[in-house]
Every structure is written in structure tokens, then in C-alpha cells.
Amino acid sequence: MAGASASAAGAALLGRSGQLRSAGSASATAPSRLRSSGGRLDLDLVAQETEVAIPGGPARALTYNGLLPGPLLEIDPGDAVRINLHNRLPRPTNIHYHGLHIPPGGSGDNVFLSVGPGESHSYAFTLPADHPAGTFYYHPHSHGTVADQVFGGLGGVLIVRGALDRIPAVRAAAEQVLFLKDLPAERGSSPMGMGLMLGREGAVLTVNGQVNPTLSMPAGGLLRLRIVNGSSARFWRLALEEHPFHLIATDGGALEAPVELVELLLAPGERAEVLVRGERQGGRYRLLNLPYTRGAGGMMGGMGMGSGPGQQGPVSIATLAYAGSVAPLPLPERLLPVELLPEPVRRRRFVLNHGMAPGMGMVFLINGRPFDHGRIDTRVRLGDTEEWELVNDGVMDHPFHVHINPFQVISRNGKPEPFRAWKDVVLLRPGETVRIRTRFDDFAGRSVYHCHILDHEELGMMGILEITA
Ligand code: C2O
Ligand code: CU
Ligand code: CU
């Protein structure tokens, strides 16, 4: 797109989003929403630095269309999506559609494509007609600027509607998106050295760009939370006072039946959908982020890592307030079948670790090698089912992520997973071995797998996957 029309489109959107932003901070806690209609979603996304109003947070952040988080995109299977990305940042950027099963080449989910400062690119893809419903995540993915740009604020939620939404007990629930992002404090210093190696965390915890927003629900009601960890390194370990979570979907969509959880841990890039029952009579309950340590216990000479600057105990990130009451709504008993994948035709092993490289300091490695954009690390065949053994040989947590095709976790440290679920990020704690199974369906092309602590990805923990027909 030409510069003139790009800036006109941007200006029009900015006017609109400015209003949306002030409306949002006054009351609601939902990101501004763009819904496809007539089988199409067409929009402009302007990546730029803008002023933001976040108590205790930075005065400026990186935003899409002036919004933090970016607009909430909502589409149906079969929809044609066109996104005109305009880069008003000083460094290259692009867009990755985290979790979507769409072509990895051309103007689809192409992370090798780079949009330079002042340039625009028109992304276009058609979501497969059988794409599962779920909660997905768009964010920049241009190697070398990913961690800075995600930590700086960029990212947004993409909802695919479908069968899960049509289950009566799910449809009856009130829906709320929670986009979780930590931001640096107003006077935070920029991290260097070890901070960067371990993965930057900000001290200001935001939900949909707000600090401790209020969510409301009636007694007897059901609240469906679509939770996205949009942080570059922070893990969110959530618990809601006096209310269990009923997990109904993971990264790639629905489970077979709800699973009750007392707390929910989400590594960067992970998503979960949970139902909360309004089983109390009234009152206010805190949604807490509990402290979490991302390994590396002995490495830092006692300096804590994970849970970010200063988080020693639970922090309230949102408040659930009861308002009114309704006749009690039941939880769904069954959700959707989760396919049992066939026996793998091939097994591979990926060892995650770190080391020192001359002149580079610490590097993060997969099978002993740091990322090289000119090297294809893993070649697979379209249609094959494979089983990958992932081994964390290091001293820090690494959430392993694969693009384009979701996977199922088969076992962790030799113990079978308790239930089948579609995932695209799986956490490996130090010393753990996890087996995942995946099938390379529909799309040939080149993509990546990497650690979703984005500072680790930038420092080498990524490989290139080529799927050939
Ligand atoms: Cu959300 Cu390659 O990442
Ligand atoms: Cu991804
Ligand atoms: Cu990592």
C-alpha cells in the first residue's frame, strides 16, 4: 500500500480508536472488538508508539491503532481475512497469528516476512472451514525485534467462533477476554545483562491494559474467561478467591469435558478458557497472580527470577464483583471430542539448553545450536504424524512453542497426560522430558518452533521447520 493511503487509513482508525480507548478506561474491561461480517474481516493495523494511561505504568507503549491490547478480532471458520499492517516503528516488524492453522508462506502466517519502518504489508488468508473454535493471539515476530516489541506492548487477541460456542451450557455463559500483560513501571530502568538473559518482566500487571479492573457476574451465573498470556517472559499463576476454575479449552480449542482447577499456570503465549460458577451469594473476590519462579534457583546468587520485580506474594490483578442473581446455570458435562492421533511415523528429540558463545555471551540452544535463519533444522513430510521428545537440560523453564500445527502432550517425565488437549505451547521445567505428538496437516512450507520466553528466542532458542509435500 502506498504511503499516502496508508497514513489516511491510519489516521481514520486513530480517530476512532482514541474514542474507544477513553471509553474503555472509564468502565468496561473488554478490548475494542472487530467482528467479521459476510465472511470477511478487513482491517488496518498501525504499529506505533503512543501515549497510554496506565496507573504506575509507562507513559508510552507500543500499540496497534493506539490501543493496548490491540483490537479484539473475531472470525468464523471459512472467513477471508485481510490485515493491512503499517509499520510506524523505528525497527522492522510483522504479524504472527499464534495458534492459527493457516499457510505459513506468502502473506499468511509468514514469520520470515519483514515489514520495514515506514512500510506496509497486506496480509491475507482464509481460515479453513474446519478450523477449531478457540482463543488465539496475534503479535509481532520479526527475529531481532520480537521480544522488544512484545515487551513494549504489542499484541492482541483473535477469537475463532465455532462448535464450542454453540454448546448450550457454554453459550449461556457471559464471556470476558482477559489479555494479561506486564509492563515496565513508570520509572523502571531498562534491563540489561542477566535481566535480558533470563527474560524481562515488568512490575505493572495489566488485564486488558487496565490495572485491577472489575469483572461482574450474577449469583448463579456462569462466566467464561478467555485468558491469554501476552507477556514476553512473565508466567501468570492465577487463582480466584473461593472459586475454582473449570477448564474448557486450551491453546488449540475445546477439551472433551471440563477439568476443575484450583489454580491455572500460563506461560507466555499460552491460552486457556475457563468457566467460573457464581456459586457465592455476593461479595467481591480477588483474581490473584501468585508468585512463580522460573527455575535458575542457584544461578543468580539468590536473586529471584520469575514473578518479576518485587512480587513476593499474591497480587490482585482483577476483582470479581457479584451483581444481581439468576437461576443457577449448570456446567456443561461434555464438550467436544478430541481426536486420538495415530501412531507416529517418526520420532525426534529436541534438547533445550544454554551455553556461552565467544563474543555473544550467553546463548540459548536447541540440540546444541543457536538459531540460524539460513539453516533448516527439521524437515518433515506433509500429512505425517510425529512424536517429539522435548528435554530441558538447563536450569531455567522453557515454554516450547510450535507454529501452524497444534500438538497433544502425550507424557511428562514418563507419566501419561491425564487428559487429551490441543496445545501449541508446552512448559518444560528444568530436568523435564515431555513427549508431544503432532500431525503436519494441510500446509507445506517453512515455519519455526521456539522458546516463548521471547528473550530466549532472540538469544537463539529457535529452529526452522520445513514441511514438504
Ligand atoms: Cu507466539 Cu513464534 O510465537
Ligand atoms: Cu506462535
Ligand atoms: Cu526459554
Side-chain angles (χ1 to χ4, degrees):
M1 186 182 274
S5 59
S7 52
L13 269 166
L14 288 183
R16 203 165 77 213
S17 55
Q19 287 169 9
L20 287 170
R21 182 158 48 123
S22 31
S25 48
S27 57
T29 61
S32 80
R33 177 171 167 273
L34 296 170
R35 177 82 172 96
S36 64
S37 67
R40 308 189 59 82
L41 178 69
D42 264 282
L43 68 137
D44 289 82
L45 278 185
V46 182
Q48 58 188 347
E49 186 178 312
T50 42
E51 284 180 21
V52 290
I54 296 163
R60 304 179 68 78
L62 306 186
T63 63
Y64 289 120
N65 299 351
L67 300 166
L68 197 163
L72 173 63
L73 310 182
E74 210 178 298
I75 57 180
D76 296 314
D79 279 353
V81 178
R82 177 175 296 277
I83 296 181
N84 304 306
L85 173 67
H86 309 289
N87 182 4
R88 304 243 182 90
L89 301 170
R91 297 168 71 198
T93 191
N94 64 11
I95 306 181
H96 166 49
Y97 304 92
H98 180 132
L100 289 192
H101 180 60
I102 57 173
S107 284
D109 189 22
N110 184 348
V111 295
F112 302 106
L113 188 154
S114 175
V115 182
E119 291 177 5
S120 296
H121 182 78
S122 183
Y123 285 88
F125 61 87
T126 299
L127 197 67
D130 59 353
H131 197 287
T135 304
F136 302 95
Y137 171 31
Y138 63 93
H139 65 79
H141 212 297
S142 185
H143 185 63
T145 61
V146 184
D148 286 349
Q149 290 179 357
V150 172
F151 187 65
L154 288 181
V157 179
L158 195 155
I159 289 176
V160 176
R161 294 277 169 201
L164 175 60
D165 306 280
R166 292 191 290 267
I167 295 172
V170 174
R171 193 170 49 195
E175 191 176 307
Q176 174 73 54
V177 169
L178 302 181
F179 183 80
L180 309 178
K181 184 180 281 296
D182 54 334
L183 293 166
E186 195 175 5
R187 276 182 259 281
S189 55
S190 55
M192 290 164 50
M194 276 320 256
L196 206 58
M197 307 288 172
L198 301 171
R200 284 167 278 186
E201 294 190 16
V204 180
L205 305 187
T206 67
V207 175
N208 301 336
Q210 297 174 302
V211 175
N212 204 11
T214 298
L215 317 169
S216 64
M217 78 180 299
L222 268 185
L223 184 60
R224 176 185 183 181
L225 302 176
R226 295 177 177 266
I227 312 174
V228 178
N229 183 345
S231 291
S232 56
R234 176 182 286 274
F235 287 40
W236 295 71
R237 184 181 154 216
L238 306 176
L240 178 59
E241 289 177 321
E242 291 178 44
H243 295 75
F245 297 125
H246 302 274
L247 184 70
I248 57 167
T250 50
D251 302 334
L255 305 182
E256 296 194 306
V259 174
E260 185 173 325
L261 301 173
V262 175
E263 55 175 75
L264 175 68
L265 179 67
L266 289 178
E270 275 190 298
R271 290 91 63 213
E273 296 186 29
V274 300
L275 293 175
V276 173
R277 296 179 66 191
E279 58 200 12
R280 302 284 143 191
Q281 290 315 302
R284 298 169 70 81
Y285 301 87
R286 296 177 302 165
L287 177 61
L288 298 170
N289 189 43
L290 306 174
Y292 182 82
T293 304
R294 292 189 277 115
M299 193 167 173
M300 300 285 295
M303 184 176 142
M305 198 218 17
S307 293
Q311 185 175 343
Q312 311 284 312
V315 170
S316 175
I317 60 164
T319 303
L320 176 69
Y322 276 82
S325 70
V326 296
L329 290 171
L331 284 172
E333 276 170 22
R334 307 293 309 165
L335 295 163
L336 297 172
V338 177
E339 184 188 354
L340 179 64
L341 285 171
E343 282 303 304
V345 300
R346 175 145 194 184
R347 294 172 197 271
R348 300 173 197 266
R349 190 161 193 263
F350 297 85
V351 179
L352 313 180
N353 208 332
H354 46 77
M356 302 301 285
M360 291 173 72
M362 194 181 222
V363 286
F364 288 81
L365 311 166
I366 301 179
N367 291 342
R369 302 194 289 197
F371 177 68
D372 177 346
H373 69 270
R375 184 186 68 222
I376 293 167
D377 298 275
T378 307
R379 288 189 162 87
V380 303
R381 294 193 69 83
L382 189 65
D384 278 359
T385 299
E386 295 201 357
E387 196 160 286
W388 290 6
E389 184 174 70
L390 312 173
V391 181
N392 183 351
D393 236 3
V395 298
M396 301 174 204
D397 286 10
H398 298 296
F400 187 83
H401 170 51
V402 188
H403 286 208
I404 309 296
N405 291 286
F407 53 77
Q408 295 177 8
V409 176
I410 302 298
S411 68
R412 183 178 291 271
N413 302 323
K415 287 212 321 234
E417 276 290 275
F419 54 91
R420 272 207 299 275
W422 288 111
K423 295 284 297 161
D424 54 56
V425 177
V426 63
L427 173 60
L428 284 119
R429 296 186 177 86
E432 284 192 321
T433 296
V434 166
R435 286 195 298 133
I436 62 173
R437 198 176 284 188
T438 188
R439 189 173 54 212
F440 305 100
D441 275 332
D442 305 317
F443 308 119
R446 219 180 265 187
S447 191
V448 292
Y449 47 81
H450 58 89
C451 176
H452 217 291
I453 290 176
L454 295 172
D455 290 305
H456 295 179
E457 177 270 304
E458 299 282 34
L459 291 167
M461 197 171 268
M462 178 155 75
I464 295 183
L465 172 70
E466 187 173 71
I467 305 170
T468 48

